[in-house]
Amino acid sequence: MNYHNPIKSDDPQALEKLSAKLEACQQRQEYMKSVNAYYRKHGTAQGCPGVSAAQAEKFDNAVRTGYSWETAPFPSYELSGNNAEIRRLKQRIAQLSRDREVGFVGWTFTGGEAVANAGNNRLQLLFDEKPTEEQRTVLKQNGFHWSPTEQAWQRQLNENAIYAASRISFICPENGESPVKLQPKVKKNDGPER
């Protein structure tokens, strides 16, 4: 696993990459648990299925020369850290799936339009004229940034973007309704996954 290349939510293949990373973490968890169980039962990693003789020797040597509280090849903190990563990835996959299923919608406001650009995963604000200095400050305070390539003020398209837009009075829909109320309802989980 390469932790130095984060998987960004606006990557079109983010769900596939996150699922692959989750699968790798789950396989690693099972491997660590099986090696530790074999070691505790036999007092050595020699003969453990899926572990070469050279790797088994390294495991045995690490336990012999390691700290006294490390009684297995993979310390408990390594297992719990990997398990936390598995939970985090599951939550991220669920959130990204929800955001993509929602089908956010845009609206028109006095002097422009808000576009829910699902292809770029951005909420884009298109103004007829350049916003004033004060308006630009408010946009920046709410996470919107100017994109010269898109010619729009934008931020990542998710529930937080819609809530941020609802706090900005000069981009509220012309009908006076809150941008939050214009959006389709998101199906929420009733409780934690078990």
Side-chain angles (χ1 to χ4, degrees), residues 50-61:
V51 177
S52 67
Q55 187 63 47
E57 183 59 38
K58 286 181 184 177
F59 286 153
D60 290 348
N61 191 38

Side-chain angles (χ1 to χ4, degrees), residues 2-3 26 36-37 43 45 48 51 54 56 59 86 91 126 132 149 153 157 171-172:
N2 190 349
Y3 293 104
Q26 289 172 329
N36 279 358
C48 180
V51 177
F59 286 153
I86 289 170
Q91 290 171 348
L126 308 169
T132 65
T149 55
W153 286 87
L157 180 61
I171 63 166
C172 282

Side-chain angles (χ1 to χ4, degrees), residues 1-9 11 13-14 17-18 21 85 88-89 92:
M1 277 174 284
N2 190 349
Y3 293 104
H4 300 293
N5 293 328
I7 300 169
K8 296 185 177 186
S9 297
D11 183 339
Q13 292 155 348
K17 290 178 180 179
L18 287 169
K21 189 173 181 179
E85 179 68 1
R88 185 192 72 80
L89 287 169
R92 186 143 178 242

Side-chain angles (χ1 to χ4, degrees), residues 146-164:
W146 174 249
S147 170
T149 55
E150 296 288 330
Q151 292 292 299
W153 286 87
Q154 63 182 18
R155 67 176 280 174
Q156 186 175 341
L157 180 61
N158 56 26
E159 289 176 328
N160 290 338
I162 302 299
Y163 286 118

Side-chain angles (χ1 to χ4, degrees), residues 82-155:
N82 191 58
N83 209 23
E85 179 68 1
I86 289 170
R87 280 192 310 277
R88 185 192 72 80
L89 287 169
K90 285 180 179 178
Q91 290 171 348
R92 186 143 178 242
I93 289 169
Q95 180 63 47
L96 202 56
S97 297
R98 264 194 314 273
D99 286 350
R100 290 192 178 173
E101 288 172 7
V102 168
F104 293 108
V105 295
W107 62 91
T108 57
F109 56 86
T110 306
E113 177 183 14
V115 177
N117 187 336
N120 289 347
N121 196 29
R122 296 285 183 265
L123 176 61
Q124 298 177 322
L125 304 175
L126 308 169
F127 291 91
D128 297 337
E129 296 177 8
K130 183 177 179 178
T132 65
E133 179 70 33
E134 183 181 286
Q135 289 174 330
R136 292 193 306 264
T137 301
V138 171
L139 289 168
K140 290 175 187 176
Q141 288 171 342
N142 284 283
F144 289 91
H145 299 281
W146 174 249
S147 170
T149 55
E150 296 288 330
Q151 292 292 299
W153 286 87
Q154 63 182 18
R155 67 176 280 174

Side-chain angles (χ1 to χ4, degrees), residues 12-78:
Q13 292 155 348
L15 281 174
E16 293 81 10
K17 290 178 180 179
L18 287 169
S19 295
K21 189 173 181 179
L22 174 62
E23 179 67 28
C25 284
Q26 289 172 329
Q27 287 175 357
R28 174 117 176 107
Q29 189 76 5
E30 290 306 313
Y31 174 75
M32 290 189 296
K33 285 168 52 178
S34 68
V35 170
N36 279 358
Y38 186 91
Y39 188 88
R40 285 190 182 100
K41 183 175 183 179
H42 298 93
T44 180
Q46 294 294 339
C48 180
V51 177
S52 67
Q55 187 63 47
E57 183 59 38
K58 286 181 184 177
F59 286 153
D60 290 348
N61 191 38
V63 174
R64 272 194 306 274
T65 60
Y67 293 108
S68 61
W69 60 83
E70 291 179 4
T71 59
F74 296 100
S76 61
Y77 64 82
E78 199 168 334

